[in-house]
């Protein structure tokens, strides 16, 4: 049989058409007009707070305030989390609040050239992955190396290949625990090694393990990305978490006035049918009793804007 690439593509398209015909194209009767489905309106904005987003002395106090604001995600610090777990889970009982991601909290760093530091990273990071699985969290956020962390493997192809292999091992471990590794790109002043969402996604693609994902942080994206929507689109299926802050001073969204525009990024998240959390990672210049509800309102308003 003479079977070339064009045939293959044509057959593939025909095959795809057949699937569409069989399952997705609605059957119309007489002059019925098909209703256009607006998928973007159905994507929820799932907001999450970090431990420090609200003032409060206890988990219960913070969760009460979160419920008043309709916040359904909570992002705890990884550091010392095991010791706080019991109290946290007790306070979460009967509430519509899930653990979103776990924010770092491990020791050492993955790109360390010192074997002992690397091993300490692997042990403590796996402990947090285990905990993340237990808590139903999407994953544990990891920065491969902050600028201040030395000695660090050089920024070379060999290091990238080594990183991909090591992440593959962690991805397997994460999958066994029903959670994921979350790579977080930061701005150049904090972590030159990994700056752009697309680069993090590219590493995820090369690892090719569902247990390795990435995230975008609007604060860092302000300095490193040419387009919020482009950054999120580039992450595609690998995007598992998002951080948000004001865009000049890393404060509550809205405290930097008109600079705090997230509409373009939100457009991408809606079109991607992103079901994860947008989690606050920021300080506050004003009184949190005022700035937090104002930030929630601003984000919800911007989410509703069609662009
Ligand atoms: Mg962040």
């Amino acid at each position: 049989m003479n079977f070339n690439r064009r045939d293959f593509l044509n057959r593939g398209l025909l095959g795809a058409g057949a699937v569409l015909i069989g399952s997705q194209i609605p059957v119309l009767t007489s002059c019925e007009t098909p209703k256009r489905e607006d998928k973007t309106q159905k994507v929820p904005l799932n907001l999450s707070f970090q431990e420090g987003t609200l003032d409060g002395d206890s988990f219960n106090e913070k969760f009460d305030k979160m419920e008043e604001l309709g916040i359904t995600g909570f992002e705890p610090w990884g550091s010392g989390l095991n010791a706080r777990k019991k109290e946290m889970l007790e306070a979460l009982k009967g509430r519509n609040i899930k653990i979103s991601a776990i924010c770092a909290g491990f020791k050492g760093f993955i790109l360390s050239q010192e074997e002992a530091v690397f091993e300490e990273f692997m042990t403590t990071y796996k402990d947090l992955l285990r905990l993340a699985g237990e808590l139903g969290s999407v994953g544990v956020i990891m920065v491969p190396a902050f600028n201040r962390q030395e000695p660090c493997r050089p920024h070379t192809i060999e290091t990238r290949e080594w990183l991909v292999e090591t992440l593959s091992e962690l991805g397997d471990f994460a999958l066994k625990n029903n959670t994921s590794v979350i790579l977080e790109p930061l701005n150049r002043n904090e972590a030159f090694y990994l700056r752009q969402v697309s680069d993090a996604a590219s590493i995820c693609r090369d690892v090719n393990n569902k247990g390795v994902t990435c995230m975008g942080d609007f604060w860092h994206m302000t300095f490193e990305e040419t387009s919020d929507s482009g950054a999120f689109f580039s992450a595609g299926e690998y995007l598992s978490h998002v951080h948000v802050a004001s865009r000049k001073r890393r404060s509550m969204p809205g405290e930097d006035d008109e600079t705090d525009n997230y509409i373009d990024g939100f457009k991408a998240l809606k079109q991607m049918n992103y079901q994860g959390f947008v989690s606050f990672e920021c300080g506050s210049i004003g009184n949190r009793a005022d700035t937090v509800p104002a930030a929630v309102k601003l984000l919800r308003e911007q989410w509703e804007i069609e662009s």
Side-chain angles (χ1 to χ4, degrees):
M1 184 172 72
N2 185 9
F3 189 65
N4 59 29
R5 185 168 179 273
R6 185 181 295 273
D7 290 332
F8 175 79
L9 288 172
N10 285 339
R11 283 164 194 237
L13 288 171
L14 282 170
V19 170
L20 277 174
I21 288 164
S23 63
Q24 292 179 20
I25 296 180
V27 177
L28 301 178
T29 55
S30 63
C31 298
E32 196 180 347
T33 307
K35 284 183 185 139
R36 189 167 163 266
E37 211 181 2
D38 188 352
K39 288 183 178 170
T40 61
Q41 288 303 308
K42 293 179 182 170
V43 182
L45 172 61
N46 300 314
L47 292 175
S48 160
F49 283 176
Q50 282 191 336
E51 283 201 60
T53 303
L54 287 166
D55 293 325
D57 294 326
S58 67
F59 284 121
N60 264 320
E61 200 178 333
K62 291 181 182 188
F63 294 159
D64 283 347
K65 287 182 191 169
M66 285 169 62
E67 281 191 328
E68 280 171 27
L69 293 167
I71 306 300
T72 54
F74 182 62
E75 181 181 322
W77 312 123
S79 181
L81 183 57
N82 209 27
R84 304 195 306 289
K85 183 180 75 175
K86 196 175 165 205
E87 184 199 346
M88 185 177 73
L89 291 177
E90 199 61 40
L92 280 172
K93 269 185 192 165
R95 300 184 190 268
N96 182 28
I97 298 173
K98 291 185 168 54
I99 303 297
S100 54
I102 293 178
C103 192
F106 47 86
K107 292 179 179 165
F109 64 110
I110 196 169
L111 291 178
S112 176
Q113 280 184 317
E114 291 179 321
E115 191 63 23
V117 176
F118 168 71
E119 289 300 336
E120 187 178 37
F121 162 79
M122 290 296 273
T123 304
T124 55
Y125 190 76
K126 283 180 179 177
D127 285 346
L128 284 172
L129 284 174
R130 215 177 279 115
L131 193 51
E134 213 180 300
L135 296 172
S137 163
V138 67
V140 183
I141 297 169
M142 174 218 293
V143 174
F146 285 88
N147 292 342
R148 59 181 156 75
Q149 290 179 306
E150 295 282 350
C152 181
R153 287 174 181 265
H155 202 343
T156 60
I157 290 176
E158 288 74 22
T159 294
R160 195 181 190 287
E161 287 170 350
W162 178 90
L163 180 63
V164 165
E165 275 177 34
T166 311
L167 285 172
S168 180
E169 178 190 334
L170 287 176
D172 286 341
F173 188 87
L175 277 183
K176 274 185 203 151
N177 286 280
N178 296 314
T179 188
S180 74
V181 173
I182 307 176
L183 294 173
E184 180 173 21
L186 304 187
N187 73 74
R188 65 196 69 186
N189 295 319
E190 293 185 47
F192 192 75
Y193 188 88
L194 188 59
R195 299 179 296 110
Q196 292 190 300
V197 177
S198 58
D199 199 17
S202 169
I203 292 170
C204 294
R205 182 203 59 191
D206 290 355
V207 177
N208 192 26
N209 183 317
K210 295 264 184 225
V212 179
T213 66
C214 67
M215 62 174 289
D217 181 327
F218 274 104
W219 164 252
H220 299 292
M221 286 162 60
T222 305
F223 304 95
E224 299 296 342
E225 306 289 352
T226 54
S227 156
D228 289 341
S229 56
F232 285 135
F233 279 135
S234 73
E237 63 187 290
Y238 304 110
L239 189 76
S240 65
H241 198 55
V242 172
H243 277 164
V244 70
S246 77
R247 310 199 77 161
K248 277 185 185 169
R249 296 174 289 181
R250 207 176 194 180
S251 201
M252 283 297 154
E255 285 198 291
D256 284 332
D257 303 320
E258 69 279 357
T259 314
D260 295 344
N261 187 322
Y262 311 92
I263 298 167
D264 184 54
F266 282 174
K267 173 186 74 178
L269 295 177
K270 288 185 286 185
Q271 287 188 21
M272 290 160 65
N273 195 24
Y274 174 72
Q275 299 290 318
F277 284 97
V278 174
S279 194
F280 283 55
E281 186 180 53
C282 53
S284 182
I285 296 156
N287 186 335
R288 286 173 194 265
D290 302 320
T291 59
V292 174
V296 169
K297 182 168 177 283
L298 176 81
L299 295 182
R300 286 186 176 140
E301 283 170 359
Q302 293 198 1
W303 186 264
E304 292 304 319
I305 294 171
E306 289 191 46
S307 57

